[in-house]
């Protein structure tokens, strides 16, 4: 059996691998960002009602009108973005489906796509499968500050696009307005496409506001904004995301979305459309709930001697595992799993080089009881 050349060197992600290892030992999975909190009844019952009403056939390739209208209202309300739901939004099979559709629609094989390191491995590997040339600019902890000169230096003659994940998986970094303004200047100078991943937009800490790159002057016309519903409504398995981009780009994205996926699951789209009607308090409670979880796990990691890089947003925390004395972060992750029953993801999943080998990523999107148990078990490392 022959496997395509474009898959050379690619294997299933460490994220999924650790889930299997965790199941093997019956551990607590703080590895894969599964998010097993309850789905809001409004969303769940909306999907059930749609199925009961037999609304189970294809939607338009760009998504059900109800959901696109709800997304446009939400973009105006929460992101300061004015979107035409008829021409500028495409509903996709998760944010990953949005990313796939966008890179195939807007980039050609060989084009350079710049990722900020630490990166989300799916951004890298999906780009490789699409035949793109990955390029990197490393951001350093604890602030992961984006500097204009460093970004400028990372641009090559191939570079056609930059990926901005904010709040970031895995670092939790949230890009500030001065950083996004620097990005806008560089993008304009080199005529770059900006592809965002804002799936964690509602999960952020210490009152920090989320800034959508497309809302920054000079970026809207060259940006594909990718957002998703998985994390906001705890429906990671429903696979719903969307793009917001100028009409011409959206037409191209919709074409690819149709060819690859036909459409996102219709009744689930209709359920999710109801979610944006949730009262403000739902989003506030989402934040305060996650803030408590972040603070708990950071304290537990500190007690265990795994100094956390405290995240500004998203539901992951990178922790320094150098003290454990392993050569690789995979060995460290396996040791933590064997001794405490808590699974994490090795930092090497998010870095090309040695920097990742002293880091572990823990996901804290867990029910309070499960998270508390995991925190107690981590103390065994102390
Ligand atoms: N985004 C999630 C993570 O980083 C899950 C991705 C996946 O399950 N493949 O863990």
């Amino acid at each position: 059996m022959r496997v395509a050349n474009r898959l050379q060197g690619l294997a299933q992600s460490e994220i999924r691998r650790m889930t299997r290892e965790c199941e093997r030992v019956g551990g607590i999975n703080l590895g894969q960002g599964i998010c097993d909190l309850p789905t809001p009844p409004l969303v769940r019952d909306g999907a059930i009602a749609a199925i009961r009403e037999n609304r189970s056939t294809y939607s338009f390739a760009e998504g059900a009108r109800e959901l696109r209208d709800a997304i446009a209202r939400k973009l105006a309300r929460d992101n300061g973005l004015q979107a035409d739901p008829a021409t500028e939004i495409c509903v996709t099979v998760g944010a990953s489906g949005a990313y796939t559709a966008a890179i195939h629609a807007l980039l050609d094989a060989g084009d350079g796509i710049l990722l900020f390191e630490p990166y989300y491995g799916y951004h890298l590997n999906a780009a490789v499968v699409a035949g793109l040339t990955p390029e990197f600019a490393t951001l350093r902890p604890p602030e992961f500050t984006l500097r204009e000169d460093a970004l400028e230096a990372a641009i090559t003659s191939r570079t056609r696009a930059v990926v901005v994940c904010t709040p970031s998986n895995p670092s939790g970094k949230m890009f500030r307005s001065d950083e996004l303004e620097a990005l806008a200047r560089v993008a304009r100078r080199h005529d770059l496409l900006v592809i965002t991943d804002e799936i964690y937009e509602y999960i952020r800490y210490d009152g920090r506001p989320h800034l959508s790159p497309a809302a920054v002057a000079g970026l809207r016309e060259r940006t594909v904004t990718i957002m998703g519903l998985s994390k906001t409504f705890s429906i990671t398995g429903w696979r719903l995301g969307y793009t917001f981009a100028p009409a011409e780009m959206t037409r191209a994205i919709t074409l690819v979305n149709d060819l690859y996926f036909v459409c996102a699951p219709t009744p689930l789209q209709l359920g999710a459309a109801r979610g944006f009607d949730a009262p403000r308090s739902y989003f506030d409670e989402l934040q305060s709930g996650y803030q408590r979880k972040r603070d708990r796990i950071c304290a537990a990691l500190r007690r265990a001697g795994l100094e956390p890089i405290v995240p500004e947003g998203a539901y992951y925390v990178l922790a320094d595992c150098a003290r454990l004395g392993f050569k690789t972060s995979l060995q460290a992750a396996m040791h933590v799993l064997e001794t405490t029953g808590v699974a994490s993801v090795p930092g090497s999943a998010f870095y090309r080089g040695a920097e990742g080998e002293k880091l572990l990523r823990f996901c804290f999107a867990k029910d309070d009881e499960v998270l508390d148990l995991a925190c107690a078990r981590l103390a065994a490392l102390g």
Side-chain angles (χ1 to χ4, degrees):
M1 241 292 279
R2 206 179 81 85
V3 166
N5 289 335
R6 74 174 80 84
L7 295 190
Q8 286 309 314
L10 295 186
Q12 194 165 71
S13 77
E14 298 286 0
I15 296 174
R16 284 197 176 275
R17 170 177 177 171
M18 289 308 293
T19 293
R20 281 183 214 281
E21 297 290 349
C22 183
E23 279 177 13
R24 186 177 53 78
V25 303
I28 302 177
N29 193 357
L30 303 192
Q32 187 177 17
I34 290 173
C35 187
D36 49 11
L37 308 181
T39 300
L42 201 61
V43 172
R44 192 193 56 199
D45 297 342
I48 293 170
I51 291 171
R52 287 224 165 89
E53 288 158 20
N54 260 328
R55 301 187 66 186
S56 290
T57 55
Y58 307 123
S59 72
F60 291 125
E62 66 270 32
R65 185 69 204 226
E66 285 99 315
L67 179 55
R68 280 179 290 124
D69 285 345
I71 290 168
R73 287 196 300 276
K74 170 269 178 200
L75 287 169
R77 182 191 70 196
D78 295 351
N79 306 101
L81 296 170
Q82 301 307 319
D84 176 357
T87 61
E88 294 186 313
I89 292 169
C90 179
V91 178
T92 56
V93 178
S96 299
Y99 182 75
T100 300
I103 60 178
H104 282 90
L106 305 172
L107 298 170
D108 284 308
D111 283 350
I113 185 165
L114 189 107
L115 307 179
F116 294 113
E117 185 182 50
Y119 47 76
Y120 175 47
Y122 282 56
H123 291 154
L124 171 59
N125 289 341
V128 170
V129 173
L132 307 181
T133 305
E135 300 175 322
F136 303 90
T138 302
L139 304 179
R140 310 222 178 260
E143 302 271 305
F144 299 98
T145 303
L146 171 62
R147 291 186 30 214
E148 186 166 348
D149 53 349
L151 178 58
E152 185 67 52
I155 304 291
T156 70
S157 56
R158 280 176 189 265
T159 316
R160 287 272 300 109
V162 182
V163 177
V164 183
C165 183
T166 182
S168 154
N169 177 8
S171 69
K173 186 216 171 29
M174 295 181 68
F175 286 81
R176 299 183 313 263
S177 60
D178 59 310
E179 294 172 298
L180 294 177
E181 282 155 15
L183 170 70
R185 285 191 293 275
V186 175
R188 201 167 35 236
R189 268 202 294 279
H190 298 276
D191 194 20
L192 302 177
L193 172 72
V194 173
I195 301 174
T196 77
D197 180 346
E198 301 171 55
I199 182 116
Y200 301 100
E201 63 176 318
Y202 291 109
I203 302 171
R204 47 186 202 255
Y205 308 110
D206 308 318
R208 197 177 294 270
H210 171 69
L211 197 56
S212 280
V216 171
L219 282 184
R220 188 195 194 281
E221 59 273 22
R222 57 175 69 253
T223 298
V224 179
T225 299
I226 294 178
M227 291 169 166
L229 306 162
S230 291
K231 324 289 169 163
T232 308
F233 300 131
S234 304
I235 47 173
T236 54
W238 286 25
R239 313 307 308 128
L240 289 177
Y242 56 94
T243 60
F244 160 60
E248 200 183 333
M249 291 203 250
T250 300
R251 259 198 305 280
I253 291 167
T254 302
L255 190 61
V256 175
N257 194 48
D258 189 10
L259 293 175
Y260 281 10
F261 308 108
V262 181
C263 67
T266 307
L268 304 187
Q269 292 188 52
L270 298 171
R274 307 283 307 280
F276 290 117
D277 299 335
R280 192 75 248 163
S281 58
Y282 171 75
F283 297 92
D284 292 344
E285 277 159 30
L286 189 72
Q287 272 180 48
S288 53
Y290 273 116
Q291 174 101 35
R292 257 197 330 272
K293 294 180 203 294
R294 181 202 69 168
D295 294 344
R296 277 187 208 183
I297 190 157
C298 285
L301 289 168
R302 230 173 252 126
R303 278 196 300 274
L306 306 176
E307 191 56 32
I309 304 169
V310 180
E312 298 170 339
Y315 52 45
Y316 308 100
V317 54
L318 289 172
D320 188 333
C321 62
R323 179 187 79 78
L324 300 177
F326 292 96
K327 260 243 265 316
T328 71
S329 53
L330 179 58
Q331 288 166 345
M334 291 308 293
H335 170 79
V336 172
L337 181 61
E338 303 290 348
T339 51
T340 67
V342 175
S344 57
V345 177
S348 54
F350 313 103
Y351 283 89
R352 289 161 302 164
E355 275 156 299
E357 300 297 0
K358 57 179 184 17
L359 295 170
L360 296 176
R361 188 196 78 172
F362 294 84
C363 169
F364 49 91
K366 292 279 153 190
D367 195 64
D368 281 337
E369 269 170 44
V370 177
L371 187 66
D372 283 348
L373 185 59
C375 288
R377 290 212 199 157
L378 284 171
L381 295 168

